Amino acid sequence: MLQLQFAHGRSGNFEGMPNPARPPSVDKLKSNPVLAPYSEAIRSRAGRAVAQSIRDGQLIGENGAIEAALLDAAEYFASTSLKPAINATGVILHTGLGRARLSNAATESVTAVAGSNATLEISLETGERGDRQSHVRELLRELTGAEDALVVNNCAGALYLSLAALCRGGGVILSRGQMVEIGGSFRMPDIIADTGCRLVEVGCTNRTRLSDYERAVGEDTKAILRCSPSNFQMTGFVSQPELGELAALAQRSGSLLIDDLGHGCLIDVREFGLRQVTTLGESISAGSHLVLGSGDKLLGGPQAGIAVGSNEAIAAMKKHPLARAFRIDKLSLAALAATLTQYRDGTWRSIPLWTAVSRTLETVKKDAKAIARSWHGAEIQRAETEIGGGSLPGEGIPTWRVGLAAPDPVALATLLRNGKPSIFGRIERDRVWLDPRTLDPDEVRAVAKRLKELAA
């Protein structure tokens, strides 16, 4: 927090030289007229923070600088810690920054239902209790060709619910090459065990054959699970059976094929120069009984767990007690319905994920130049923007990024993060790098303005 005094760029000891000035008392600082709009508690916290900054040499004890620091500190303490941020990290789906940005249509839909009551679980026709799934079920059926659909709070929840509802007490076959650990140190073997299923490991880390699956099928086999290694990539001497082969084996053995795609993609991404990924619809067409995906990855919507599949599989998941524990809230549901509508209506290119992916190099370079002009000695360099978010590991899109030279790159990155607006980049080779591919025009201007303030 102690860097907040620099948010307006009016004063500061950028190189961290000691400041021998004795700070005013906390009582005097908190009584400054600029803090009049704030509560006593906020004024006291701001006064203490600014006094400490002066003692630590992070703030020059001059009137204008002190007032600016008091305001920044008060605004910081008065607001919540969840704030808007500008993502210039070079990662489009940045997990720490909330992954996918919502489209204007999704944002408007969320705003519309957030400040009022909404028809979440009530029928307009009868006035009786309804089903929140009705807002997305038909959209998902139309977009994927599945018999039925269910959405929950996230994809991990969808996987857990599917195993608990469909496979408890039986065997679940999983390739060793897909025995992944997802964010937060949650491991697939642990999830399978916790749902009351028996994990049946097949194949090797790099190669699993259809014959491995065939030998593993037994009387208690409930499902063959295909799990996408979404956050890493294996290359070289590797192989896995085709999805259609697994579907045929599941059919012969009377077991389910559960395909945990993770990414939730609905379109062919090869038109953007990215490698082919199996879409939700393609997995259904290949014979999967249940396909799982995320709303905030390659779908470009809110956090959500999407399950599409057979009537029987979805019905069993809906009836399970955990369905309520994992249910999606009204704001995420509103955003997801609006996002899916854009795919149905063919307007999905305006979803920020795909807008960022499809921007031309010339446009990105123009924005990079605009940012570079605001910082002396800035460097423009060709690079790659990562997709991120556990989607398409190793895949990148050409970009132009801006490198900012500073005596202390860590201090500069901290100032950018803690300023207004909050700007996130990355540090490499003693420079702070900002990638404008993910920025809209207003954000480009905001970044340039902030850099000018810091350089003044």
Side-chain angles (χ1 to χ4, degrees):
M1 194 306 290
L2 296 182
Q3 285 76 28
L4 290 177
Q5 64 267 18
F6 301 108
H8 294 298
R10 300 180 188 175
S11 178
N13 188 2
F14 184 72
E15 297 187 22
M17 297 296 289
N19 180 10
R22 183 175 181 178
S25 68
V26 173
D27 283 341
K28 183 176 181 180
L29 288 169
K30 75 176 189 179
S31 300
N32 192 297
V34 300
L35 296 182
Y38 297 94
S39 68
E40 169 68 19
I42 297 298
R43 294 199 301 270
S44 296
R45 294 183 70 184
R48 287 194 297 270
V50 170
Q52 186 64 49
S53 293
I54 295 174
R55 282 193 293 270
D56 291 346
Q58 295 177 331
L59 175 66
I60 298 172
E62 297 174 354
N63 248 4
I66 289 176
E67 290 187 350
L70 286 169
L71 272 177
D72 287 335
E75 291 173 9
Y76 176 86
F77 289 127
S79 62
T80 63
S81 58
L82 184 59
K83 305 173 186 292
I86 292 179
N87 175 18
T89 62
V91 180
I92 299 176
L93 299 173
H94 193 295
T95 300
L97 295 175
R99 290 190 181 164
R101 296 176 62 164
L102 295 182
S103 65
N104 289 337
T107 302
E108 290 169 3
S109 183
V110 171
T111 302
V113 302
S116 66
N117 292 117
T119 56
L120 178 63
E121 288 187 353
I122 197 165
S123 169
L124 287 172
E125 295 180 358
T126 67
E128 301 295 327
R129 181 70 176 263
D131 179 7
R132 68 180 62 199
Q133 298 294 329
S134 65
H135 302 291
V136 292
R137 179 187 296 115
E138 292 306 316
L139 284 165
L140 284 168
R141 290 181 61 197
E142 182 178 349
L143 289 166
T144 67
E147 290 179 347
D148 203 356
L150 174 72
V151 296
V152 293
N153 62 339
N154 61 31
C155 192
L159 175 63
Y160 194 100
L161 178 59
S162 66
L163 293 174
L166 303 170
C167 306
R168 183 178 293 275
V172 174
I173 302 174
L174 178 64
S175 166
R176 290 185 174 90
Q178 298 170 7
M179 212 164 293
V180 299
E181 176 179 301
I182 59 177
S185 300
F186 294 100
R187 296 183 170 185
M188 194 59 60
D190 297 336
I191 293 174
I192 292 173
D194 198 66
T195 56
C197 304
R198 180 175 64 86
L199 172 63
V200 181
E201 304 176 24
V202 297
C204 294
T205 302
N206 59 323
R207 305 200 83 184
T208 302
R209 298 179 174 86
L210 182 63
S211 58
D212 295 320
Y213 286 93
E214 290 173 332
R215 286 194 298 270
V217 172
E219 292 184 0
D220 75 334
T221 300
K222 292 291 185 73
I224 296 170
L225 174 61
R226 192 177 85 141
C227 183
S228 171
S230 59
N231 53 6
F232 72 94
Q233 183 179 19
M234 288 194 295
T235 59
F237 192 59
V238 297
S239 67
Q240 289 282 344
E242 294 294 328
L243 184 58
E245 294 178 311
L246 293 178
L249 174 60
Q251 187 69 29
R252 293 195 303 270
S253 63
S255 54
L256 297 172
L257 174 58
I258 302 175
D259 191 10
D260 181 8
L261 291 177
H263 53 65
C265 191
L266 290 172
I267 63 169
D268 187 343
V269 300
R270 288 175 295 179
E271 69 170 277
F272 301 111
L274 301 170
R275 73 170 182 271
Q276 181 180 8
V277 296
T278 304
T279 66
L280 296 175
E282 287 170 344
S283 185
I284 289 293
S285 296
S288 297
H289 297 93
L290 188 66
V291 187
L292 311 176
S294 296
D296 57 351
K297 294 185 180 181
L298 294 185
L299 191 73
Q303 177 179 300
I306 298 169
V308 293
S310 68
N311 287 323
E312 294 80 6
I314 298 297
M317 292 174 68
K318 289 179 180 178
K319 292 177 182 177
H320 195 278
L322 285 175
R324 182 173 178 84
F326 292 139
R327 73 178 182 178
I328 190 170
D329 72 284
K330 72 171 184 178
L331 301 185
S332 297
L333 192 59
L336 181 61
T339 303
L340 293 173
T341 299
Q342 289 184 267
Y343 282 99
R344 183 199 63 188
D345 296 345
T347 60
W348 54 267
R349 294 177 187 276
S350 62
I351 294 173
L353 162 65
W354 302 120
T355 300
V357 168
S358 60
R359 294 186 70 204
T360 65
L361 262 177
E362 291 77 14
T363 302
V364 176
K365 188 173 186 180
K366 180 181 177 181
D367 290 340
K369 288 180 177 179
I371 292 172
R373 285 194 293 268
S374 301
W375 191 263
H376 179 71
E379 172 188 352
I380 298 178
Q381 181 189 84
R382 278 287 295 268
E384 281 197 342
T385 304
E386 301 173 42
I387 302 298
S391 302
L392 291 168
E395 288 285 299
I397 305 166
T399 193
W400 289 94
R401 63 178 185 171
V402 182
L404 308 176
D408 186 345
V410 173
L412 176 57
T414 302
L415 291 175
L416 290 171
R417 289 196 308 271
N418 286 289
K420 297 178 64 178
S422 179
I423 302 167
F424 283 76
R426 66 169 64 185
I427 299 175
E428 290 179 8
R429 297 188 291 108
D430 295 326
R431 284 179 179 261
V432 177
W433 294 93
L434 304 177
D435 183 351
R437 175 171 283 282
T438 52
L439 308 187
D440 62 33
D442 288 341
E443 289 176 325
V444 172
R445 288 188 286 270
V447 170
K449 180 182 177 183
R450 178 72 180 121
L451 292 179
K452 288 179 181 178
E453 291 173 350
L454 290 174

